[in-house]
Amino acid sequence: MMRHRVRRSSGSAAFTIIVVSLLLALLVYFLRSGDTICVWTIGAALGILVAGALYFTPLAVSVDSRNLSVHRPMSAKSISLNDICDVKLCPPTMGARRIVGSGGFAGSWWGWFSEEDTGKYFAYYGKSSDCFLVTLKSGRKYMIGCENPDVIVDCIRKAIGQNL
């Protein structure tokens, strides 16, 4: 089995720390002032952000004899190599539109995105320079990123019999 960790975007991670710190400061302020509506609103927003990050944030990508897997804190997303029809190095463009998901929270991107050239895809990556695009026989697409993406792409191509 081959496993590579997902490198985080340091700029996005730093921005996340600032935003979460500000939200926590606001939460403390509103707790002290007794404004329960603001406390519940900010608390819910923080809870949703943290829950989403714990479920979807990619930590590592692995390939074994049967699956391509994206390892997340609470589970793994496995894609059967038999379902893959194409894989290529393909960093996302700056024109990607987020449909739903994280656009950099905690240094990673996950969720549904859409680009004019690529179409709609589900993303699991940290640094955009580490990405590759996986297309399934069903037409569904995944933008995945990890260290040494070229090694992962070559491994998948060999497994599915795609010409290098």
Side-chain angles (χ1 to χ4, degrees):
M1 174 166 55
M2 179 182 311
R3 183 178 174 123
H4 295 276
R5 72 181 185 90
V6 174
R7 292 191 297 183
R8 305 257 168 258
S9 167
S10 55
S12 293
F15 184 72
T16 298
I17 292 169
I18 292 168
V19 169
V20 169
S21 297
L22 288 173
L23 286 173
L24 288 172
L26 282 172
L27 187 65
V28 169
Y29 171 78
F30 287 121
L31 271 170
R32 288 184 178 174
S33 69
D35 189 341
T36 56
I37 292 174
C38 287
V39 168
W40 281 104
T41 303
I42 293 170
L46 280 169
I48 290 168
L49 287 172
V50 170
L54 284 174
Y55 190 75
F56 289 106
T57 296
L59 301 174
V61 176
S62 67
V63 178
D64 60 26
S65 61
R66 294 181 304 175
N67 295 308
L68 164 65
S69 299
V70 178
H71 302 274
R72 306 174 300 190
M74 297 177 68
S75 65
K77 169 66 177 174
S78 292
I79 302 166
S80 172
L81 294 176
N82 291 330
D83 294 338
I84 298 173
C85 67
D86 187 41
V87 61
K88 62 183 176 183
L89 293 172
C90 180
T93 67
M94 295 303 289
R97 293 183 307 272
R98 180 179 51 222
I99 298 168
V100 65
S102 169
F105 184 75
S108 65
W109 280 255
W110 49 264
W112 286 105
F113 290 78
S114 179
E115 294 183 33
E116 196 169 307
D117 295 341
T118 309
K120 185 173 145 183
Y121 59 84
F122 199 94
Y124 290 109
Y125 66 89
K127 288 186 155 193
S128 61
S129 59
D130 293 342
C131 288
F132 56 96
L133 182 67
V134 175
T135 304
L136 305 185
K137 293 173 183 171
S138 67
R140 178 171 274 186
K141 296 178 183 178
Y142 292 93
M143 184 74 69
I144 300 172
C146 63
E147 291 179 323
N148 306 311
D150 51 332
V151 175
I152 295 280
V153 167
D154 288 345
C155 183
I156 295 169
R157 283 180 175 169
K158 287 177 188 169
I160 65 172
Q162 189 180 50
N163 292 332
L164 305 174

